[in-house]
Amino acid sequence: MQIQGYFDLKFEPVRDAFAALFDNPQERGAALCIQVGGETVVDLWAGTSDKAGGQAWHSDTILNVFSCTKTFTAVAALQLVAEGKLELDAPVAKIWPEFAAAGKQAVTLRQLLAHTAGVTGVRQPLAPETLYDWDAMCAALAAEAPWWTPGQAHGYSPISYGWLIGELLQRVDGRTPGRSIIARTAAPLGLDFHIGLADGEFVRVAEIARGKGSLGDAAAQRLLGVMLGEPQALSTLAFNNPPSVMTSTNKPEWRRMEQPAANGHGNARSLAGFYAGLLDGRLLDTALLAEMTREQAVGEDRTLLTRTRFGLGCMLDQPGDAGGGTFGLGPQAFGHPGAGGSLGFADPERALAFGFVTNTLGPYVLMDPRAQTLARAAGRCLAGK
């Protein structure tokens, strides 16, 4: 496999580890970008961008990075907190009165960002096309009763997070959620990142497809078992109601919509650049970044059925977890994985910002072993090992 791009010679082992991904014949295409102290030390890409394997992955290829989008959304919300337009600990219903229904009158923005609000999925079956009806989804979530007493437990909101935070952004910022988030995060940093993709950009979007032959780890198998066997379980409804959520990634209407939990489109460069912007203070001041990366929820996740640890709109490292809970570097690392393998994160101890994207979906629930391997290789290079 021909590896394209640039790497600092000190990071040649990272380049070798990236190339080794393609020893697996399942691997289609991927890209990796690492910045240290704001300087790009690795910017690599390889493979193919289409399902058939005939289209080369290019320098400007972008793809759906799924939940990597969530931290962009959180940063936009926190900027509005800094501007006094949102409050972390005020009731959401202060801005969105309908949201007070069914026992949610005290739910706060902090709880939504930390996945402790209990507004994780809709119990009433929704038609597939409801996915693309913003007002209908917001109305369904506003009417929904929490799955637990808000603030008393936590459970990841894989898709509802986008409507919940996005509706607040829309109400206070006067722009659609994708426009608000991009104007506040990607645009000031010059990043090739989109929430609501223009049709003219479709030609450079990599198609997403699942890898075959791997069932993943115990956490992945546990979650899959519930989703296949328990149609009314929280986990199932959180991921699969509307039922079109899991099957839409390559569809034009999914690319066009602004769903700021899961349909951001970008590349490894844009993920690394975003986290570099957080580390150097261009997106949030020191106090708000500290609040964002402070532990807000930890323990058994009622949606993912494994241990998770959250800040505000970001996952925090679980250093003792040799599996999916660690980013693979320092214990202060924070960021967010996307379904199937993409990952963006920062390690403040090393001033390192990391972005990895792939169009070959793996089965893991949290961090993908491919990204962890690359991050650990970067750590060894920085340590001179």
Side-chain angles (χ1 to χ4, degrees), residues 87-147:
E87 298 173 76
L88 277 173
D89 297 307
V92 167
K94 183 177 174 182
I95 290 162
W96 183 0
E98 303 89 336
F99 190 78
K104 302 192 303 302
Q105 62 275 6
V107 168
T108 65
L109 173 60
R110 182 187 300 276
Q111 291 171 338
L112 294 181
L113 288 170
H115 303 280
T116 63
V119 195
T120 304
V122 176
R123 295 171 178 86
Q124 183 70 27
L126 299 169
E129 60 270 19
T130 313
L131 177 65
Y132 303 107
D133 187 334
W134 183 272
D135 290 341
M137 285 304 311
C138 288
L141 288 163
E144 188 66 35
W147 288 78

Side-chain angles (χ1 to χ4, degrees), residues 335-370:
H336 218 292
S342 293
L343 179 66
F345 78 90
D347 180 11
E349 291 178 73
R350 294 166 177 78
L352 180 144
F354 179 100
F356 171 75
V357 297
T358 173
N359 63 346
T360 309
L361 293 191
Y364 297 89
V365 173
L366 299 178
M367 320 304 172
D368 190 286
R370 291 170 290 182

Side-chain angles (χ1 to χ4, degrees), residues 1 13 22 64 129 135 157 164 177 185 254 290:
M1 176 62 62
F22 295 90
N64 190 180
E129 60 270 19
D135 290 341
S157 300
L164 295 168
T185 59
W254 174 259

Side-chain angles (χ1 to χ4, degrees), residues 43-106:
D43 183 12
L44 301 171
W45 61 92
T48 57
S49 64
D50 62 330
K51 288 184 183 179
Q55 183 77 37
W57 190 292
H58 296 293
S59 172
D60 68 345
T61 295
I62 57 175
L63 74 164
N64 190 180
V65 297
F66 298 105
S67 289
C68 296
T69 314
K70 285 184 171 71
T71 309
F72 288 79
T73 303
V75 167
L78 290 170
Q79 289 181 0
L80 286 161
V81 169
E83 294 166 18
K85 296 176 182 175
L86 286 174
E87 298 173 76
L88 277 173
D89 297 307
V92 167
K94 183 177 174 182
I95 290 162
W96 183 0
E98 303 89 336
F99 190 78
K104 302 192 303 302
Q105 62 275 6

Side-chain angles (χ1 to χ4, degrees), residues 34 327-329 345 352 354 370-380:
I34 300 172
F327 294 96
L329 280 175
F345 78 90
L352 180 144
F354 179 100
R370 291 170 290 182
Q372 289 175 321
T373 296
L374 296 168
R376 289 182 174 121
R380 289 193 295 272

Side-chain angles (χ1 to χ4, degrees), residues 225-296:
V226 169
M227 291 178 66
L228 291 176
E230 300 178 36
Q232 296 307 310
L234 165 59
S235 302
T236 307
L237 294 174
F239 278 100
N240 209 28
N241 190 28
S244 44
V245 171
M246 302 289 279
T247 59
S248 292
T249 181
N250 294 316
K251 294 181 178 178
E253 54 267 39
W254 174 259
R255 293 175 181 175
R256 290 183 190 116
M257 80 180 293
E258 298 176 31
Q259 216 304 341
N263 89 327
H265 285 71
N267 50 26
R269 220 174 278 132
S270 62
L271 294 179
F274 170 72
Y275 284 98
L278 281 172
L279 289 177
D280 68 17
R282 284 179 288 167
L283 295 177
L284 293 175
D285 65 31
T286 303
L288 265 178
L289 181 62
E291 190 64 13
M292 176 180 158
T293 58
R294 182 172 69 81
E295 182 180 288
Q296 308 278 338

